[in-house]
Amino acid sequence: MRLSQYFLPTLKETPSDAQIVSHRLMLRAGMIRQMSAGIYAWLPLGYRVLKKIENIVRAEQDRFGAIEMLMPTIQSADLWRESGRYDAYGPEMLRIKDRHEREMLFGPTNEEMITDIFKREAKSYRELPKILYHIQWKFRDEVRPRFGVMRGREFLMKDAYSFDIDEAGARRSYQKMFAAYLSTFARLGLKAIPVRADTGPIGGDLSHEFHILADTGESQLYVDPKLFEVDMKALGPDDDLAGFMERITSLYAAADELHDPAKAPKELVTRRGIEVGHIFYFGTKYSAPLGAQVVGPDGTPVLIEMGSYGVGVSRLAAGIIEASHDEAGIIWPDEVAPFKVGLINLKSGDAKTDTACNDLYAKLNNAGVETLYDDRDERAGGKFANMDLIGLPWQMIIGPKGVEKGVVELKRRATGERHELSVDDALATIARG
Amino acid sequence: MRLSQYFLPTLKETPSDAQIVSHRLMLRAGMIRQMSAGIYAWLPLGYRVLKKIENIVRAEQDRFGAIEMLMPTIQSADLWRESGRYDAYGPEMLRIKDRHEREMLFGPTNEEMITDIFKREAKSYRELPKILYHIQWKFRDEVRPRFGVMRGREFLMKDAYSFDIDEAGARRSYQKMFAAYLSTFARLGLKAIPVRADTGPIGGDLSHEFHILADTGESQLYVDPKLFEVDMKALGPDDDLAGFMERITSLYAAADELHDPAKAPKELVTRRGIEVGHIFYFGTKYSAPLGAQVVGPDGTPVLIEMGSYGVGVSRLAAGIIEASHDEAGIIWPDEVAPFKVGLINLKSGDAKTDTACNDLYAKLNNAGVETLYDDRDERAGGKFANMDLIGLPWQMIIGPKGVEKGVVELKRRATGERHELSVDDALATIARG
């Protein structure tokens, strides 16, 4: 993409109303703009990041056997009356009346709806187990939305729901999602810590939150340092997931009020964390009131055992920035970077430099390397600052002197390391990662 | 995907409340389920089709230089007051009050919002031209939603918006989208007819609707048969798009009330059509009231010339079925088929047949061929009917006799042709398309 043709409105000044660094940087890097309180448009650069996160979340759900579908945003109030949550949910639920005065709502979560869908179709225990998920926009009408997309009102969530014939099955589904989540966050370039959690308004008796580490996190975490040594990406769906979860959860990890110093080990690390995932096993909490049952092996009806599993996809975009930035701007992990390379033309308008840049840009495109080419007629200093701000993993810098010498300068954003290399060597370095 | 592990609730009976064939088949094929009037959940099979359509629409937008972003579903009423459409839009707009009694709405379209976003950032004519688009769920509160996702209330739309410094530029943007749309529909396996259209509530002075041909379409089309001979996929963004549009629109094509027999050629074909796209050039209709201007080449402010361009993505899923089905069920064009191959095991439980099927399933997966494997313990007749109903382009049928002879039966859904082939020949046939 040529920057001159892109829509990337970066800001030099720090927006005064943004309190946390990810919010400031997402505004400055031209990723998002606020449309109403807690409601954001994702500009092209931000949208690319959001899609990359979404695709990694999706790939790991699929790998662990969850099946994707899509539920609507608008739900009928009646379903929520059946579960008893219509009144219980309070003013965070955005309630709507349609033109026929029917009571609707913008879904904050989908336990009721998926239970309703599943109960209409599933007849026999043979159709279980099953995990269904979707990635859809949700709405929670926060009293004071703040921190950008970290605590917005309209947000993108991946929510999965498991259906099993008994508690043992439901615990296996829970273990699958537990492993899938740790693998997802690792693939996103994040250290994630699972901590035992309260079940809150979803209900149930087993629940974990997943926090990513960032100095600016809202939660205080108390963690056994051995937890940092576990390889979270190593597992697949056919491995011993019960053993894996047992091994992980036997290591102490707690957030804030659930921390119990009496139970904690001597060697304990405290860190700040941002909650980006939450999983629940809640048994028949929804299947009972909604009458979701299948015929069991002995021919009698059995209520379905369920769990739900949420990842804050849009929040992750902010969370990754909180975990990975410096004074100059964002430092994208390779896996979610909106482009892999930023190509900087130091002297746009100079025929030889333009030709060298155009050649390199074509080579990068042909090699399938996502490249943002700053071809604008701007000062070099401004281009450097802009590229550091938006945080692409690699910068390739070409000016008249380099063209003369037949080299480009390759800079790794994360370390600041710079090397003069031939074009071929620079391309090879990028290809190696 | 193994059918025994999938979530594909097909129906033998025809749902009594579905009036058109696409609605009936989408329900029967387990693609969608109604959640409220005009509001549907997309079950896994339907979701795969929706994603394929979306990806083709996206690829053609990108190819013609439009830039993707994402706007929120919930909009502030204030923006719509500025354009004057808040009152004008009527009861089709779903109006909402949040917990602070602020007036919001679920966006039916995004002219106001994109104009607001663009005007905040664009300063100079040098930043034009630009086409921005997003693919997002919309809501129109139809009085009587009907025909399934063909006329639902919550629907997925691709809407693009163009920004130009003058009318000549705006017409070039319009020509780009005109060509992109014809290419999009051709890639979806559809014959699409552009007809000059009224501008309706969007406004403006130049507008075309795109109709796909289907006997069950709501509109009557009057078309010069020469229009059917044009290759709609041949063009790219750098071709003579003005000439292309001129050539196409010089051929007579009109829908219903805009048909003028006096102007029509002698040789005229009448067909039924379904509207799946609508494009508008509306000049400064929104930029004027919202104050969207840039500094022009002579240093004075100029109002931005705009157009908008919509494709009904979820409606297309139904439209394709209307255009492509038979008595037995859906016939998916290859490009949007949820899976390419349906593998039918005629005797699940028979060790040799299971082994042969598992081998072939592994081969198909390794070759990257999306396959739905019916491994269920069901009668062959039921499996055949089910596979015809969901309409995958190819069926591979394996039973004990074929295993004995070392052959599989390969069936092309569209033609009903069947051939006994070796596994390798069957795979080669599928690979050829």
Side-chain angles (χ1 to χ4, degrees):
Chain A
M1 177 61 64
R2 281 171 189 273
L3 190 44
S4 64
Q5 290 168 22
Y6 204 42
F7 184 61
L8 181 63
T10 52
L11 307 173
K12 286 199 186 67
E13 298 78 27
T14 296
S16 58
D17 55 332
Q19 299 169 43
I20 62 171
V21 67
S22 60
H23 189 192
R24 286 196 295 269
L25 287 173
M26 290 180 85
L27 291 169
R28 288 193 56 212
M31 291 180 63
I32 56 169
R33 288 295 181 263
Q34 180 171 293
M35 295 289 102
S36 313
I39 300 178
Y40 291 84
W42 292 74
L43 304 189
L45 194 81
Y47 180 72
R48 288 179 77 99
V49 173
L50 189 66
K51 272 286 162 187
K52 299 227 166 164
I53 296 171
E54 185 185 316
N55 284 337
I56 290 175
V57 170
R58 171 177 292 123
E60 291 300 297
Q61 290 291 297
D62 292 346
R63 194 164 72 90
F64 280 85
I67 304 169
E68 190 168 12
M69 59 179 293
L70 188 63
M71 289 177 268
T73 64
I74 301 296
Q75 307 188 15
S76 158
D78 291 342
L79 259 183
W80 288 69
R81 292 215 173 83
E82 287 186 52
S83 73
R85 283 210 290 183
Y86 189 65
D87 296 321
Y89 216 93
E92 273 199 12
M93 181 184 280
L94 188 65
R95 292 153 208 263
I96 304 169
K97 279 193 180 153
D98 74 5
R99 67 192 291 168
H100 300 300
E101 295 292 313
R102 280 177 296 217
E103 289 179 284
M104 319 285 286
L105 55 98
F106 198 126
T109 179
N110 284 64
E111 281 81 6
E112 284 81 357
M113 187 179 273
I114 195 72
T115 305
D116 181 55
I117 291 170
F118 200 76
K119 83 169 184 195
R120 296 196 221 167
E121 314 298 341
K123 305 284 177 258
S124 157
Y125 72 98
R126 288 193 204 86
E127 296 163 52
L128 307 178
K130 207 79 88 192
I131 303 176
L132 298 171
Y133 76 99
H134 75 157
I135 302 176
Q136 177 61 293
W137 291 89
K138 311 287 193 296
F139 204 96
R140 287 186 195 161
D141 201 358
E142 303 262 356
V143 183
R144 281 177 296 116
R146 58 192 186 281
F147 306 150
V149 299
M150 187 75 85
R151 192 176 287 280
R153 293 199 290 170
E154 189 170 331
F155 60 98
L156 187 59
M157 183 160 89
K158 187 286 300 176
D159 36 326
Y161 303 89
S162 63
F163 304 88
D164 283 277
I165 189 65
D166 54 23
E167 186 184 327
R171 287 186 183 273
R172 277 192 297 275
S173 293
Y174 188 94
Q175 290 150 8
K176 267 190 201 173
M177 288 295 108
F178 186 92
Y181 275 33
L182 288 176
S183 176
T184 299
F185 299 127
R187 279 192 60 189
L188 290 167
L190 297 166
K191 263 278 169 236
I193 303 293
V195 303
R196 189 170 266 272
D198 276 336
T199 54
I202 304 281
D205 75 345
L206 173 62
S207 177
H208 285 89
E209 288 171 2
F210 296 79
H211 291 259
I212 57 173
L213 300 181
D215 294 341
T216 51
E218 284 189 300
S219 314
Q220 182 74 27
L221 303 179
Y222 304 86
V223 184
D224 185 330
K226 292 194 204 77
L227 203 48
F228 297 110
E229 291 154 27
V230 183
D231 179 0
M232 303 296 193
K233 266 197 282 199
L235 285 183
D238 300 324
D239 290 319
D240 172 21
L241 302 180
F244 174 71
M245 183 169 141
E246 174 61 35
R247 206 156 63 247
I248 297 271
T249 55
S250 70
L251 296 170
Y252 189 87
D256 296 320
E257 66 278 17
L258 287 186
H259 172 51
D260 179 356
K263 289 183 180 161
K266 256 199 188 128
E267 201 191 353
L268 199 62
V269 174
T270 61
R271 288 286 181 83
R272 305 298 298 180
I274 298 166
E275 186 200 326
V276 290
H278 202 160
I279 64 179
F280 303 88
Y281 161 58
F282 46 69
T284 61
K285 181 178 157 72
Y286 299 94
S287 57
L290 275 75
Q293 52 190 28
V294 292
V295 174
D298 65 357
T300 61
V302 183
L303 285 172
I304 300 171
E305 290 275 324
M306 291 177 60
S308 72
Y309 314 90
V311 170
V313 176
S314 47
R315 166 178 276 203
L316 270 168
I320 292 169
I321 295 175
E322 292 288 338
S324 184
H325 66 273
D326 63 15
E327 297 278 290
I330 303 167
I331 302 170
W332 289 116
D334 288 84
E335 296 75 8
V336 296
F339 297 91
K340 190 163 186 180
V341 173
L343 172 61
I344 297 177
N345 183 331
L346 289 180
K347 205 169 179 187
S348 296
D350 175 68
K352 282 186 184 167
T353 311
D354 287 351
T355 303
C357 282
N358 287 337
D359 285 355
L360 184 50
Y361 182 53
K363 275 191 178 138
L364 287 160
N365 283 331
N366 290 338
V369 178
E370 293 174 302
T371 303
L372 184 66
Y373 170 24
D374 192 346
D375 59 341
R376 297 170 308 157
D377 181 16
E378 300 276 346
R379 287 182 312 103
K383 289 189 177 187
F384 290 142
N386 205 51
M387 211 52 100
D388 280 351
L389 171 62
I390 66 173
L392 309 182
W394 299 96
Q395 296 173 18
M396 292 181 92
I397 302 153
I398 307 190
K401 282 182 202 161
V403 173
E404 203 80 4
K405 288 162 62 183
V407 297
V408 303
E409 191 173 31
L410 183 67
K411 173 178 162 179
R412 180 77 180 160
R413 173 67 180 88
T415 59
E417 269 184 275
R418 296 156 169 268
H419 296 285
E420 277 199 353
L421 298 170
S422 72
V423 166
D424 286 348
D425 286 348
L427 290 173
T429 305
I430 287 169
R432 276 197 303 274
Chain B
M1 178 62 64
R2 283 171 189 272
L3 190 42
S4 63
Q5 290 168 23
Y6 204 41
F7 184 60
L8 181 62
T10 53
L11 306 174
K12 285 200 187 68
E13 297 77 28
T14 296
S16 57
D17 55 332
Q19 299 169 43
I20 62 171
V21 67
S22 59
H23 190 192
R24 285 196 295 269
L25 287 174
M26 290 180 85
L27 291 170
R28 287 192 55 210
M31 290 179 64
I32 56 168
R33 288 295 182 263
Q34 180 172 293
M35 295 288 101
S36 314
I39 300 177
Y40 291 84
W42 292 74
L43 304 190
L45 194 81
Y47 180 72
R48 288 178 77 99
V49 172
L50 189 68
K51 272 285 161 187
K52 299 227 164 163
I53 296 170
E54 184 185 316
N55 285 337
I56 290 174
V57 171
R58 171 178 292 123
E60 290 301 298
Q61 289 292 296
D62 292 347
R63 194 163 72 92
F64 280 85
I67 304 170
E68 189 168 11
M69 57 178 295
L70 189 64
M71 288 177 268
T73 64
I74 300 296
Q75 306 188 15
S76 157
D78 292 341
L79 259 182
W80 288 68
R81 292 214 174 82
E82 286 186 53
S83 73
R85 284 209 291 182
Y86 189 65
D87 296 322
Y89 216 94
E92 272 199 13
M93 181 184 279
L94 187 66
R95 293 154 207 263
I96 304 169
K97 280 193 181 151
D98 74 5
R99 66 191 292 168
H100 299 301
E101 295 292 312
R102 281 178 295 218
E103 290 178 284
M104 320 284 287
L105 56 97
F106 197 125
T109 179
N110 285 64
E111 280 81 8
E112 285 81 357
M113 187 179 274
I114 194 74
T115 305
D116 181 56
I117 291 171
F118 200 76
K119 82 168 185 196
R120 295 195 221 168
E121 314 298 341
K123 306 282 177 260
S124 157
Y125 73 96
R126 288 192 204 87
E127 296 163 53
L128 306 178
K130 207 78 89 192
I131 303 177
L132 298 171
Y133 77 98
H134 75 156
I135 302 175
Q136 178 61 293
W137 292 89
K138 311 286 192 297
F139 204 96
R140 287 186 195 159
D141 201 357
E142 303 263 357
V143 184
R144 281 176 297 116
R146 57 192 186 282
F147 306 151
V149 298
M150 187 73 87
R151 192 175 287 281
R153 295 198 290 169
E154 188 170 332
F155 60 98
L156 187 60
M157 182 159 88
K158 186 287 300 177
D159 37 326
Y161 303 90
S162 63
F163 305 87
D164 283 277
I165 190 65
D166 54 23
E167 186 184 327
R171 287 185 184 272
R172 278 192 297 276
S173 293
Y174 188 94
Q175 290 149 8
K176 267 190 200 171
M177 287 295 109
F178 186 92
Y181 274 34
L182 288 176
S183 177
T184 300
F185 299 128
R187 279 191 60 188
L188 290 168
L190 297 166
K191 264 279 169 231
I193 304 294
V195 303
R196 190 170 266 273
D198 276 334
T199 55
I202 305 281
D205 75 346
L206 174 61
S207 177
H208 284 90
E209 289 170 2
F210 296 80
H211 291 259
I212 57 172
L213 301 180
D215 296 340
T216 51
E218 284 188 301
S219 315
Q220 182 74 26
L221 304 179
Y222 303 86
V223 185
D224 185 331
K226 292 194 204 76
L227 203 49
F228 297 111
E229 291 153 27
V230 183
D231 179 359
M232 304 296 193
K233 267 197 282 198
L235 286 182
D238 300 324
D239 291 317
D240 173 19
L241 302 180
F244 174 70
M245 184 169 139
E246 175 61 35
R247 206 157 64 247
I248 297 270
T249 54
S250 69
L251 297 170
Y252 189 86
D256 296 321
E257 65 277 17
L258 287 185
H259 171 50
D260 178 356
K263 290 183 180 161
K266 255 200 189 125
E267 200 193 351
L268 198 64
V269 174
T270 60
R271 288 286 181 83
R272 306 297 298 180
I274 298 166
E275 187 201 325
V276 290
H278 202 160
I279 65 179
F280 304 87
Y281 161 58
F282 47 69
T284 61
K285 181 179 156 73
Y286 299 94
S287 58
L290 275 74
Q293 51 190 27
V294 291
V295 174
D298 65 357
T300 62
V302 183
L303 286 172
I304 300 171
E305 290 275 325
M306 291 177 58
S308 71
Y309 314 89
V311 169
V313 177
S314 47
R315 167 179 275 205
L316 271 168
I320 292 168
I321 295 174
E322 293 287 338
S324 185
H325 67 273
D326 63 14
E327 297 277 290
I330 303 166
I331 303 171
W332 289 115
D334 289 84
E335 296 76 8
V336 296
F339 297 90
K340 189 163 187 181
V341 173
L343 173 60
I344 298 177
N345 183 331
L346 290 179
K347 205 170 179 185
S348 296
D350 175 67
K352 283 184 183 168
T353 311
D354 286 351
T355 303
C357 283
N358 287 339
D359 284 356
L360 184 50
Y361 182 54
K363 275 191 177 136
L364 287 160
N365 283 331
N366 289 339
V369 178
E370 292 173 303
T371 303
L372 184 65
Y373 170 24
D374 191 346
D375 60 341
R376 297 170 308 157
D377 182 16
E378 299 276 345
R379 286 182 314 104
K383 290 189 177 187
F384 289 141
N386 204 52
M387 211 51 100
D388 280 351
L389 171 63
I390 67 172
L392 309 182
W394 298 97
Q395 297 173 17
M396 292 181 92
I397 302 153
I398 306 190
K401 282 181 203 162
V403 173
E404 203 79 3
K405 288 162 63 183
V407 296
V408 303
E409 191 173 29
L410 182 67
K411 174 178 162 179
R412 180 76 179 160
R413 172 68 179 88
T415 59
E417 269 184 275
R418 296 158 170 266
H419 295 286
E420 276 198 355
L421 298 170
S422 71
V423 166
D424 286 348
D425 287 349
L427 290 173
T429 305
I430 288 169
R432 275 197 304 274

